[in-house]
Amino acid sequence: TDSRVYPTSSPLQLPTIQSWYQYHPELGFIYEHPITGEVVATCIAVALTKPGWEQLTSGQKAESELTVDLIYSNARDDVIGLHIYHVEREASWDPAWPKLGLLALDHISEVLGELQAQREPGKPSLSVCGFSGLAVSPTGINLFGGLYNCREKGFTCNEFVLRDAAGALKVVSDLSQDELQRMLQEGYQFVNRCKMLVLTPDEPSIVWAKLSGYVQEQHESCKCGCSVYAKEENQHAAGCGALVESGGACVLCA
C-alpha cells in the first residue's frame, strides 16, 4: 500500500519494519470491520528514543535507517518520540465511524497508559518529547499539517511526487525547475513536495489533548541556541557551559 503513494527508489524493507516492533508491537494498529472482519484501516506508529526522533526529524536519518538502538524500549528509556510512518483507511471505512486520525491518537494514548503501568516502581514516568510524520501525499499533508498542527522545522525534504499520464506516481529527489518543466511537458502532473511535519509539546494541538498525560515538560529555550535549560535551576543543557544571569538569559545572549 505504501508503495502506491510513495514509490521511492529505496523502499522500506520488511526486516526494518519488523525491527521497529521488536520492543512494542502494540503500536502497530490494524482496524477490522466489526461484521465482515476485513481490514479497513492501518496505522504504523514508530516509538523512538529522543535521540532517534531528533535525528529523524532533523533529516540526519531516513526512516529506512532507523536501527534498533534508536527504537524506544520501555525497560530502558524514559522519553519517547512518536513518528507515524503510515496511516491509511480503505474505501470500506464507514464514514459514520470516528475520524481515523483521531481514533489512532486514542489508541496510541491507551498504549502509552499500558506502558506506563508496566514501568518499574521508582522509574520516572514516561513522557513524549515529540510527534511527527513524513507526509508524502496531499491527504497526509492535510492530516499532519491541518488536523495535528505539525509543521516543517529546520529540515526541508527535497522529494517531489508527480503523476504520469497513466496515473502512476513517481518520486523525484532535488527536482530543478528545468527538470520540472520538462516533466510537465511530457505529461506529468505535479502532486506535492514531501514534508517532514513535526510537533513539539510547546505547540497547541489535538495530539497533546489526546496524549495529555504523557507530554514532556518544556523549558524555555536559551537564546544562544544551546538547547533547553532549566531556568529555575540556573543551568543550561549539558555541554553549553554558559552562565545564567538572574533574568534567565545566558551571558552570551544578554
Side-chain angles (χ1 to χ4, degrees):
T1 299
D2 183 58
S3 62
R4 294 203 308 262
V5 298
Y6 185 52
T8 176
S9 59
S10 55
L12 199 63
Q13 301 300 312
L14 180 59
T16 300
I17 297 179
Q18 291 173 331
S19 71
W20 292 349
Y21 293 101
Q22 176 173 323
Y23 299 124
H24 303 298
E26 59 269 40
L27 279 166
F29 304 103
I30 298 176
Y31 297 92
E32 298 178 344
H33 194 285
I35 298 176
T36 66
E38 67 174 312
V39 174
V40 293
T42 54
C43 177
I44 301 177
V46 189
L48 297 168
T49 62
K50 185 176 182 179
W53 184 79
E54 290 175 341
Q55 290 176 44
L56 175 65
T57 56
S58 65
Q60 297 176 52
K61 294 281 188 181
E63 291 172 326
S64 59
E65 298 172 328
L66 294 174
T67 50
V68 175
D69 59 304
L70 300 177
I71 302 302
Y72 174 86
S73 165
N74 199 41
R76 179 193 64 205
D77 305 307
D78 302 325
V79 180
I80 180 173
L82 291 169
H83 180 74
I84 308 301
Y85 171 71
H86 188 73
V87 56
E88 183 179 15
R89 65 182 188 183
E90 303 296 334
S92 52
W93 181 273
D94 191 328
W97 293 341
K99 188 174 292 188
L100 177 60
L102 298 179
L103 193 61
L105 292 178
D106 288 333
H107 291 148
I108 289 173
S109 181
E110 290 177 7
V111 172
L112 293 179
E114 294 169 359
L115 293 178
Q116 177 58 46
Q118 296 166 10
R119 295 179 67 80
E120 296 180 1
K123 289 201 69 172
S125 298
L126 70 83
S127 60
V128 180
C129 66
F131 183 89
S132 60
L134 178 59
V136 300
S137 68
T139 301
I141 292 171
N142 182 62
L143 173 63
F144 281 85
L147 182 63
Y148 293 158
N149 193 36
C150 299
R151 63 196 69 186
E152 290 183 293
K153 294 185 177 183
F155 169 58
T156 300
C157 180
N158 287 315
E159 290 185 324
F160 298 80
V161 181
L162 293 97
R163 180 181 290 108
D164 67 18
L169 297 178
K170 181 181 180 66
V171 177
V172 181
S173 298
D174 300 316
L175 182 67
S176 67
Q177 184 62 35
D178 288 342
E179 187 175 5
L180 174 59
Q181 289 292 136
R182 176 184 59 78
M183 295 185 72
L184 293 175
Q185 291 173 358
E186 292 174 353
Y188 282 89
Q189 293 180 332
F190 182 84
V191 179
N192 61 262
R193 178 175 62 80
C194 301
K195 299 181 178 183
M196 177 63 76
L197 297 177
V198 179
L199 179 73
T200 50
D202 58 321
E203 300 167 306
S205 173
I206 188 65
V207 172
W208 306 134
K210 294 286 189 179
L211 310 182
S212 59
Y214 313 101
V215 180
Q216 185 178 38
E217 181 182 356
Q218 295 293 291
H219 296 293
E220 184 180 351
S221 294
C222 175
K223 290 182 289 183
C224 73
C226 73
S227 185
V228 298
Y229 71 104
K231 183 175 180 179
E232 65 276 11
E233 297 177 0
N234 288 338
Q235 293 179 350
H236 284 252
C240 173
L243 299 177
V244 180
E245 294 187 336
S246 59
C250 100
V251 293
L252 300 179
C253 306

